[in-house]
Amino acid sequence: MPVSIVSESTLVQLYRQHHAWLLGWLHRRLNQPETAADLAQDTFMRLLRPGVELPETLRAPRAYLSTIAHGLLVNHWQRQDLEAAYLQALAVQPPALHPSAEEQAQTLELLLAVQAMLDGLAERPRRAFLLARLDGLGYAEIAAELGVSERMVKNYMAQAMLHCLRLRGDAA
């Protein structure tokens, strides 16, 4: 298992000097003390990931920490938006068709994984992929929807598939 390159003393010093500031920074953006505390903790936990290199002295530690925290904050907001959209879709379903709480959690995790996989993909290939996979549209219908040729849709789908395969290769 790879070892983190961040020394314990560097991390402890960084935590002691900047944790309170980071917590305040996150709290101002969220106005949710518990979530701000979780994200501040997650920011420092990111520094313990394998392969993370942290110099003994950072020139701008707050900029470094806020960059990491900002990414976590964006992920938090995306998760909230996706969860709200999922719950809104469930709300229009008859209660008898609602999945169990466990199934809802699993579905939400799956939706988040799909969202993460498609994150780095350009807009049109992502739309083409979603129209094909979620809406079940054929290439001709997708071409009409996007205002492009079927050949371009094939290209978009190939880009999307290659993107997913690369991510899958990175995860393996």
Side-chain angles (χ1 to χ4, degrees):
M1 180 173 183
V3 178
S4 176
I5 303 172
V6 178
S7 77
E8 185 178 333
S9 63
T10 301
L11 186 60
V12 168
Q13 182 180 8
L14 193 63
Y15 187 89
R16 284 183 181 155
Q17 291 176 351
H18 302 288
H19 180 264
W21 169 83
L22 182 63
L23 187 59
W25 185 88
L26 286 162
H27 189 288
R28 285 188 298 280
R29 280 152 184 79
L30 284 166
N31 200 26
Q32 298 171 341
E34 298 84 14
T35 305
D38 288 345
L39 292 177
Q41 190 68 24
D42 289 348
T43 299
F44 286 97
M45 292 301 293
R46 286 277 170 109
L47 300 177
L48 293 173
R49 283 187 168 177
V52 172
E53 293 186 45
L54 186 65
E56 287 298 319
T57 56
L58 281 171
R59 289 187 194 181
R62 289 184 175 183
Y64 184 77
L65 292 170
S66 64
T67 299
I68 295 169
H70 182 264
L72 293 170
L73 195 54
V74 168
N75 290 346
H76 170 75
W77 286 328
Q78 287 175 336
R79 182 182 177 97
Q80 275 188 325
D81 290 347
L82 186 61
E83 188 171 356
Y86 176 61
L87 292 175
Q88 186 177 13
L90 277 180
V92 299
Q93 299 283 330
L97 296 178
H98 285 198
S100 69
E102 182 180 345
E103 291 170 326
Q104 287 181 28
Q106 289 172 343
T107 300
L108 186 58
E109 287 304 314
L110 181 59
L111 288 170
L112 289 165
V114 169
Q115 180 184 37
M117 283 193 86
L118 298 177
D119 248 3
L121 196 56
E123 176 62 24
R124 287 201 170 197
R126 179 176 41 246
R127 277 196 65 208
F129 181 81
L130 291 172
L131 288 169
R133 297 298 182 204
L134 297 182
D135 295 340
L137 299 183
Y139 286 9
E141 295 166 305
I142 296 170
E145 176 79 22
L146 297 179
V148 297
S149 67
E150 279 188 60
R151 182 181 177 105
M152 201 67 217
V153 172
K154 288 177 186 176
N155 186 19
Y156 291 155
M157 291 300 289
Q159 288 176 37
M161 295 295 187
L162 182 60
H163 176 78
C164 291
L165 286 173
R166 282 184 180 145
L167 287 175
R168 197 170 159 193
D170 290 344

